[in-house]
Amino acid sequence: MWATEWANPSLSAIYMTKNSAGSAKKALTKKLKSAISTPRKHAPLAQLDRASDYGSEGREFESSAARHFTNIDPVDLDRKQDRGFMQEALVEASAAARLGEVPVGAVVVKDGEIIGRGHNLRETSNDPTTHAEMIAIRQAAETLGSWRLIGCTLYVTLEPCVMCMGAIILARIPRLVFGCRDPRVGAVGSVFDFSRDERFNHRVAVTEGVLDQECSDLLSGFFRRLRAAKKQRRQQAVEDPADDSSE
């Protein structure tokens, strides 16, 4: 057979072609193994990340890092800026505390500028809807001349309640940043999670924990002073019942 192949020029050519292809394949395999075993410190993410579901969902290649950051912060990735605007929300919260209100503050930001501010005024106004977020949203809508707060971020020191999350969704606010959680009535994961509820026609991207300690300390300090004041009033009432009855 071998003699026949070499004697026949066409068969010889076919053999040589197959042999060359086999050698080329072996050389390519060796080159690929070498490339895989050699770390590439400066390779682009698209080269380093080989997502297992590439093409399975009919989408273009997307690095996991890109998906990660997009899911968390679709509007603004700057953590330093987040802290700066949360400081502004804390200023509003401090203003509420000075009025004897629960210290919660909020600001609405668009294109790097504050377009709405608010702090809790429920006790002062005797209006249960005057939460910090509601006031900031109203002011922002007035500033823009539109109820659709597209492209805005709302910063608030405390996890929003059901009412405020409803307003955030209805205002089409795409991003929410809050400081500390509210385990009693929080509607962004603590009790409910309206930000991910698929029954709504709007999703809210959430970043939590920005200056959470500062936000938590402000609230804890307020309620600690409130409890101390109540205790002092009770003690005074026991020591001087006449003053208590006159009230």
Side-chain angles (χ1 to χ4, degrees):
M1 179 179 177
W2 295 113
T4 304
E5 288 179 354
W6 285 112
N8 190 324
S10 59
L11 290 177
S12 178
I14 293 171
Y15 175 79
M16 292 178 67
T17 301
K18 289 183 177 179
N19 190 41
S20 299
S23 300
K25 185 177 180 180
K26 289 180 180 179
L28 180 60
T29 303
K30 183 177 180 181
K31 186 176 181 180
L32 286 173
K33 287 182 178 180
S34 176
I36 292 170
S37 62
T38 304
R40 299 185 63 184
K41 296 182 180 179
H42 305 291
L45 278 175
Q47 293 182 25
L48 292 176
D49 184 2
R50 292 293 182 265
S52 59
D53 61 346
Y54 172 61
S56 63
E57 298 180 8
R59 64 175 182 228
E60 295 294 327
F61 187 88
E62 185 181 38
S63 73
S64 62
R67 288 197 300 277
H68 174 73
F69 286 112
T70 299
N71 289 338
I72 294 180
D73 298 318
V75 178
D76 186 5
L77 299 178
D78 191 346
R79 289 294 177 272
K80 184 177 180 181
Q81 190 177 61
D82 281 352
R83 289 193 294 270
F85 287 124
M86 188 59 75
Q87 286 285 4
E88 293 294 328
L90 280 165
V91 170
E92 292 294 325
S94 297
R98 289 193 294 271
L99 294 173
E101 299 275 1
V102 175
V104 179
V107 296
V108 177
V109 176
K110 182 177 176 64
D111 298 330
E113 295 185 3
I114 296 175
I115 61 172
R117 289 177 172 272
H119 53 264
N120 194 17
L121 288 175
R122 187 172 57 178
E123 300 297 332
T124 304
S125 65
N126 286 321
D127 182 348
T129 69
T130 52
H131 286 196
E133 301 96 316
M134 302 294 288
I135 296 172
I137 288 172
R138 288 173 185 149
Q139 192 178 114
E142 184 177 353
T143 300
L144 294 181
S146 173
W147 61 267
R148 293 182 178 87
L149 301 185
I150 298 170
C152 295
T153 299
L154 188 145
Y155 295 83
V156 61
T157 55
L158 180 66
E159 179 184 2
C161 67
V162 169
M163 175 182 68
C164 294
M165 272 307 295
I168 289 168
I169 291 169
L170 291 174
R172 305 296 191 268
I173 295 175
R175 184 175 182 236
L176 166 70
V177 181
F178 70 87
C180 58
R181 283 193 169 273
D182 187 343
R184 298 184 304 108
V185 297
V188 196
S190 291
V191 180
F192 305 100
D193 193 352
F194 283 10
S195 66
R196 298 182 181 181
D197 196 318
E198 295 181 355
R199 291 171 293 182
F200 296 129
N201 63 351
H202 178 70
R203 304 288 182 275
V204 182
V206 178
T207 300
E208 69 171 279
V210 178
L211 299 184
D212 58 337
Q213 192 61 55
E214 291 88 337
C215 297
S216 178
D217 288 346
L218 186 61
L219 285 161
S220 298
F222 172 81
F223 286 112
R224 185 167 54 249
R225 291 189 297 272
L226 196 64
R227 287 192 296 269
K230 287 183 178 180
K231 182 178 180 180
Q232 186 176 12
R233 286 197 297 270
R234 286 197 299 269
Q235 289 176 345
Q236 289 177 347
V238 171
E239 294 173 359
D240 195 349
D243 287 348
D244 184 55
S245 60
S246 64
E247 293 178 359

